[in-house]
């Protein structure tokens, strides 16, 4: 890894289909390591280190509350949250490791392809928290025990309830092409947002580029982040959003704002945000303790309650006014294909929407 430059495209070339957070690798270990319990010895060793460095693309309020909850549970261990966009997290770690700097302990990214790269570069540490081993489905944990799905969310359609009646709201992506929605739609850009890139890949794979070509004729308001469409919707600047974070919509709706999610009949794109530990972690014991905490029922419930996120931990309870994730038709994520096709997707999308 040292004196090299991380290249997602290079290391992912030839990778096959990936389901959710699970990854294929040409360098397969014999088996995942056994689950590691939280022991008094681990806690004591973590307290001697005194801190853990967490690089994440999770919304800052969620990351900070997660850190605070950990610090309350394990007094004497501070969590240093370094929050930025997923691509910047990836670039920062690449620059640090290329310079021989090992500053990150635990990482979270909304781009699951990053973990394939880090795994292939041999810089992730195998570590399986007990909750992951006991509760997490196989498609949401790496076969070699190097990462697992810390957070799950969807990219969805939604509408402003002050501007659109429920019976008139779109029920599918195909409905967005109805002329009545011309100049009333907002959506994010795959050139800026990892979530929108993943959603764009899934939609062009399953619906074809013709869908986007027709959608472009609707005079769509183009914004950047996946958090921007929900904001525009809430403000009434557009009546419908074609994509954006489900968790922003759920948070706004739960706060009494005039927005309502729509789970498209074709299926809603699923987005995965794994967590992993680096081999070069400066605080390896604190990293293990924090990783185990992140996958605990308590932390997963916090992600739901505070962040509007989904969880695959069966003991975490979704809010009663949400449609359960298991009851929502979803499209499948494929991080390797997103990486391989990312540049082409951005280029074609820009050409279609002229943005």
């Amino acid at each position: 890894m040292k004196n090299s430059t991380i290249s997602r495209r290079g290391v992912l070339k030839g990778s096959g289909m990936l389901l959710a957070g699970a990854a294929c690798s040409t360098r397969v270990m014999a088996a995942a390591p056994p689950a590691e319990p939280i022991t008094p010895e681990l806690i004591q060793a973590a307290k001697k280190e005194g801190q853990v460095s967490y690089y994440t693309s999770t919304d800052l309020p969620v990351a900070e509350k997660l850190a605070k909850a950990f610090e309350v549970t394990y007094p004497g261990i501070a969590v240093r949250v370094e929050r930025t966009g997923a691509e910047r997290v990836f670039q920062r770690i690449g620059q640090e490791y290329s310079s021989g700097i090992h500053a990150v302990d635990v990482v979270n990214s909304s781009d699951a392809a990053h973990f394939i790269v880090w795994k292939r570069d041999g810089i992730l540490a195998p570590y399986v928290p007990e909750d992951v081993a006991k509760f997490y489905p196989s498609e949401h944990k790496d076969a070699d025990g190097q990462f697992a799905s810390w957070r799950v969310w969807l990219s969805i359609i939604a509408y402003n309830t002050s501007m659109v009646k429920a019976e008139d709201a779109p029920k599918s992506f195909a409905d967005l092409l109805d002329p009545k929605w011309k100049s009333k739609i907002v959506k994010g850009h795959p050139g800026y947002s990892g979530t929108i890139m993943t959603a764009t890949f899934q939609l062009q794979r399953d619906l074809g580029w013709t869908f986007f070509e027709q959608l472009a004729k609707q005079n769509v308001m183009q914004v950047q982040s996946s958090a921007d469409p929900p904001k525009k919707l809430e403000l009434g600047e557009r009546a419908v959003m074609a994509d954006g974070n489900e968790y922003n919509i759920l948070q706004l709706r739960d706060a009494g704002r005039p927005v309502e999610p729509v789970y498209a009949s074709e299926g809603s794109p699923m987005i995965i945000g794994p967590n992993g530990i680096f081999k070069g972690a400066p605080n390896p014991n604190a990293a293990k303790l924090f990783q185990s905490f992140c996958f605990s029922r308590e932390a997963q419930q916090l992600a739901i309650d505070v962040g509007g996120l989904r969880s695959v931990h069966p003991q975490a309870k979704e809010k009663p006014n949400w449609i359960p994730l298991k009851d929502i038709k979803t499209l499948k994520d494929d991080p390797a294909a997103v990486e391989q096709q990312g540049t082409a997707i951005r280029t074609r999308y820009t050409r279609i929407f002229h943005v």
Side-chain angles (χ1 to χ4, degrees):
M1 181 63 196
K2 192 174 181 180
N3 299 322
S4 66
T5 300
I6 294 177
S7 170
R8 294 196 300 174
R9 184 171 301 280
V11 297
L12 288 174
K13 188 175 183 180
S15 295
M17 177 67 180
L18 305 176
L19 296 179
C24 302
S25 174
T26 56
R27 188 177 56 82
V28 179
M29 298 168 57
E36 295 193 34
I38 295 176
T39 63
E41 292 76 17
L42 177 61
I43 296 173
Q44 187 61 31
K47 287 187 174 181
K48 285 183 179 180
E49 293 168 351
Q51 65 176 347
V52 60
S53 178
Y54 186 42
Y55 288 15
T56 181
S57 59
T58 307
D59 280 2
L60 186 58
V62 180
E64 289 181 335
K65 289 188 178 181
L66 175 70
K68 181 63 176 177
F70 175 81
E71 292 169 350
V72 169
T73 304
Y74 300 104
I77 309 173
V79 180
R80 181 168 64 89
V81 174
E82 297 286 345
R83 193 277 164 193
T84 189
E87 295 305 319
R88 291 181 181 177
V89 167
F90 183 79
Q91 291 167 4
R92 176 174 177 174
I93 291 174
Q95 291 167 355
E96 288 180 350
Y97 265 68
S98 293
S99 301
I101 298 171
H102 296 169
V104 57
D105 291 308
V106 181
V107 67
N108 168 266
S109 176
S110 58
D111 188 340
H114 293 164
F115 288 84
I116 307 171
V117 177
W118 291 325
K119 178 178 178 178
R120 295 238 176 145
D121 283 338
I123 59 175
L124 291 178
Y127 180 74
V128 181
E130 277 194 313
D131 278 69
V132 170
K134 186 175 182 179
F135 296 116
Y136 280 63
S138 60
E139 66 267 25
H140 284 281
K141 55 188 177 185
D142 175 52
D144 297 327
Q146 296 187 18
F147 53 90
S149 302
W150 183 72
R151 55 184 176 128
V152 177
W153 66 104
L154 304 174
S155 176
I156 62 170
I157 298 171
Y159 64 96
N160 183 304
T161 58
S162 298
M163 304 172 71
V164 180
K165 295 180 180 179
E167 59 268 26
D168 297 329
K171 304 298 189 295
S172 66
F173 289 105
D175 287 348
L176 296 176
L177 306 180
D178 190 310
K180 72 179 181 180
W181 300 122
K182 189 167 187 177
S183 301
K184 297 180 180 180
I185 298 173
V186 60
K187 75 179 304 298
H189 196 296
Y192 293 94
S193 167
T195 294
I196 303 303
M197 167 58 79
T198 299
T200 301
F201 164 77
Q202 293 179 30
L203 289 173
Q204 62 81 28
R205 177 195 63 197
D206 296 350
L207 304 183
W209 279 109
T210 301
F211 165 73
F212 289 102
E213 292 167 354
Q214 294 175 328
L215 185 64
K217 298 176 182 179
Q218 293 287 65
N219 191 27
V220 172
M221 174 189 282
Q222 187 73 64
V223 292
Q224 297 183 2
S225 167
S226 64
D228 290 338
K231 294 174 183 177
K232 297 296 184 182
L233 203 65
E234 178 197 11
L235 294 172
E237 294 185 28
R238 282 295 189 270
V240 173
M241 75 177 201
D243 57 26
N245 283 324
E246 178 200 33
Y247 57 80
N248 290 136
I249 292 297
L250 293 177
Q251 288 174 316
L252 288 169
R253 187 188 66 178
D254 289 350
R257 305 306 299 160
V259 298
E260 187 68 25
V262 172
Y263 301 101
S265 59
E266 300 96 338
S268 297
M270 175 178 281
I271 320 295
I272 303 299
N275 255 31
I277 298 175
F278 281 91
K279 283 183 179 178
N283 306 290
N285 295 293
K288 290 180 178 180
L289 190 61
F290 183 72
Q291 179 80 333
S292 287
F293 180 78
C294 285
F295 288 98
S296 67
R297 186 209 62 78
E298 177 186 354
Q300 290 294 299
Q301 194 63 55
L302 183 150
I304 292 171
D305 295 342
V306 175
L309 293 160
R310 302 285 185 163
S311 173
V312 295
H313 195 308
Q315 293 181 342
K317 305 300 181 183
E318 295 180 335
K319 295 184 178 181
N321 62 329
W322 292 7
I323 298 177
L325 181 61
K326 65 180 179 62
D327 294 338
I328 298 173
K329 182 180 179 181
T330 59
L331 305 181
K332 294 298 183 182
D333 191 12
D334 185 350
V338 171
E339 177 57 32
Q340 292 171 348
Q341 301 176 32
T343 299
I345 288 173
R346 282 188 290 269
T347 300
R348 189 162 184 175
Y349 184 96
T350 299
R351 183 170 68 246
I352 290 172
F353 285 90
H354 304 290
V355 289

